[in-house]
Amino acid sequence: PHFLYNTLESIRYAIRLGDRDVDGIILRLTSILRYSIHGSDHTVSLQEDLQHLRDYLEIIRYRFGERFRFQIDIPDACLGHACPKLCLQPIVENSIKYGLQNRKVLTVTVRAWQDEDFLYLEVRDDGLGMSPALLAEMRALVAARSEQNSTHYGLRNIARRLSLQFRRGSGMELDSVQGQGTVVLLRISHQEVL
């Protein structure tokens, strides 16, 4: 909801200032909203999910200007791989939410590669990172098999979806160095897009 409210406020001010580029932002926002509520698909191709992630990243870049940079490094060979719908966007959103605090510029990098067993998706930021105590708490939350009482439910939900939708070995790993940034790695077993 905060993303939606903030984007709508940005659009409102852009219209008042006569910014003609806002038309593209409205189209990107519409695309994201359709994708997030359309159908009950739980598994999509990485290419499909990536298109909506790009829309999201362009909206964020529009809102924050030079303060936000992103890079996407995903080989074509990975694009047909199955992944949970909207698996990258919440991770990138966390990077932005926590990474831009007290930072003038944030860079988020999304990478992918695969081996004979898994597709690997990595989201890396150069934000503030986590304290060792928070990192330990987040790792325990992501690894927990039962419901946990926490305000950090986004990462937990993605990790749970990976374990439920894909075979054993699929999951999430977290690493972070306070003052240097955070890395989230998704490991997704090979399977056909349903």
Side-chain angles (χ1 to χ4, degrees), residues 82-192:
C83 68
K85 185 177 181 179
L86 293 169
C87 66
L88 290 170
Q89 186 268 332
I91 298 169
V92 171
E93 189 171 3
N94 273 355
S95 290
I96 295 163
K97 179 178 179 181
Y98 298 108
L100 265 176
Q101 293 176 355
N102 301 317
R103 285 275 194 206
K104 290 185 179 181
V105 177
L106 176 73
T107 301
V108 173
T109 303
V110 179
R111 294 181 39 221
W113 66 94
Q114 57 187 334
D115 61 20
E116 60 277 355
D117 298 315
F118 297 100
L119 169 72
Y120 300 91
L121 299 173
E122 179 187 82
V123 176
R124 177 182 298 268
D125 69 61
D126 61 356
L128 293 179
M130 293 182 229
S131 68
L134 179 57
L135 179 60
E137 176 188 334
M138 294 302 296
R139 284 177 171 165
L141 178 68
V142 165
R145 295 198 179 267
S146 60
E147 281 298 314
Q148 302 291 310
N149 190 10
S150 173
T151 58
H152 302 285
Y153 55 87
L155 292 179
R156 167 73 179 131
N157 286 345
I158 295 167
R160 185 167 164 80
R161 287 170 60 201
L162 287 173
S163 68
L164 292 173
Q165 289 178 270
F166 295 84
R167 70 182 164 112
R168 194 176 200 111
S170 297
M172 177 187 291
E173 296 175 19
L174 301 171
D175 198 15
S176 188
V177 176
Q178 196 164 14
Q180 294 181 20
T182 300
V183 179
V184 178
L185 179 67
L186 305 181
R187 192 175 50 255
I188 306 171
S189 63
H190 296 309
Q191 75 176 42
E192 296 295 319

Side-chain angles (χ1 to χ4, degrees), residues 11 14-15 19-30 62:
I11 290 169
I15 289 170
D19 184 349
R20 294 186 183 270
D21 293 336
V22 77
D23 182 57
I25 297 304
I26 293 169
L27 291 174
R28 289 180 187 280
L29 180 60
T30 301
Y62 179 81

Side-chain angles (χ1 to χ4, degrees), residues 57 61 65-71 105-109:
L57 290 167
R61 182 163 43 194
E66 291 299 315
R67 289 192 63 211
F68 178 69
R69 299 177 185 150
F70 71 88
Q71 300 171 345
V105 177
L106 176 73
T107 301
V108 173
T109 303

